[in-house]
């Protein structure tokens, strides 16, 4: 879901419905500022990069459509009002700092229901050829 500055701001009830549905309908969901192509804060970009290292199927929800309403709706699920927030199997995992801690401890793959043995060690955002060079993003 992407923020369109020309669209009207979502009201609190619409935001609550989107938050509830995203958490219920997707195995891994990230509520962030911005979208996959254009994160609007460094914490959101960091969280997205960590999740995408392990999962291609991360549902991204742009909270900029009504930031205060998203904070309130998310706080009801997680007890936190900061954004970004990641959920896995309907359970709150944390923001970018928690995701980084899980990564540092070698626990992020398991948290995301991924077999660590199948994870490619290539940097997020690029694929590695057999020669070890990062392929162009196009």
């Amino acid at each position: 879901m992407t923020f369109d500055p020309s669209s009207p701001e979502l009201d609190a009830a619409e935001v609550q419905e989107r938050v509830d549905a995203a958490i219920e309908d997707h195995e891994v969901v990230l509520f962030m500022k911005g979208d996959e192509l254009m994160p609007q804060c460094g914490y959101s970009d960091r969280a997205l990069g960590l999740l995408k290292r392990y999962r291609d199927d991360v549902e991204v929800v742009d909270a900029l459509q009504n930031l205060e309403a998203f904070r309130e709706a998310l706080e009801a699920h997680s007890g936190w009002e900061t954004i970004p927030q990641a959920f896995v199997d309907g359970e709150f995992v944390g923001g970018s700092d928690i995701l980084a801690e899980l990564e540092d401890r070698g626990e992020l793959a398991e948290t995301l229901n991924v077999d660590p043995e199948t994870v490619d060690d290539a940097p997020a955002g690029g694929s590695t050829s057999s020669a070890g060079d990062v392929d162009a993003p196009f």
Side-chain angles (χ1 to χ4, degrees), residues 6-71:
S6 64
S7 66
E9 186 175 85
L10 297 173
D11 67 31
E14 290 173 304
V15 168
Q16 187 66 56
E17 288 175 20
R18 285 193 182 189
V19 167
D20 294 345
I23 292 171
E24 184 178 320
D25 296 344
H26 299 282
E27 185 177 357
V28 179
V29 61
L30 177 65
F31 296 91
M32 62 181 273
K33 295 176 184 173
D35 62 26
E36 291 182 72
L37 298 177
M38 192 174 265
Q40 296 298 305
C41 82
Y43 296 109
S44 292
D45 188 38
R46 181 181 186 199
L48 181 63
L50 288 165
L51 294 174
K52 288 291 196 170
R53 179 164 187 249
Y54 297 95
R55 301 285 299 252
D56 291 329
D57 59 344
V58 175
E59 176 68 13
V60 173
V61 179
D62 184 352
L64 292 176
Q65 293 171 306
N66 186 334
L67 195 52
E68 289 311 311
F70 271 98
R71 283 185 173 139

Side-chain angles (χ1 to χ4, degrees), residues 58-124:
V58 175
E59 176 68 13
V60 173
V61 179
D62 184 352
L64 292 176
Q65 293 171 306
N66 186 334
L67 195 52
E68 289 311 311
F70 271 98
R71 283 185 173 139
E72 289 177 22
L74 288 167
E75 187 174 13
H77 284 275
S78 66
W80 288 24
E81 64 177 33
T82 58
I83 294 172
Q85 290 190 25
F87 290 80
V88 177
D89 291 329
E91 298 294 322
F92 175 60
V93 174
S96 62
D97 291 345
I98 301 296
L99 294 172
E101 286 178 26
L102 290 168
E103 171 74 355
D104 289 345
R105 292 194 315 244
E107 299 171 6
L108 187 55
E110 182 180 343
T111 299
L112 296 172
N113 302 321
V114 175
D115 179 0
E117 299 294 320
T118 64
V119 176
D120 183 9
D121 287 330

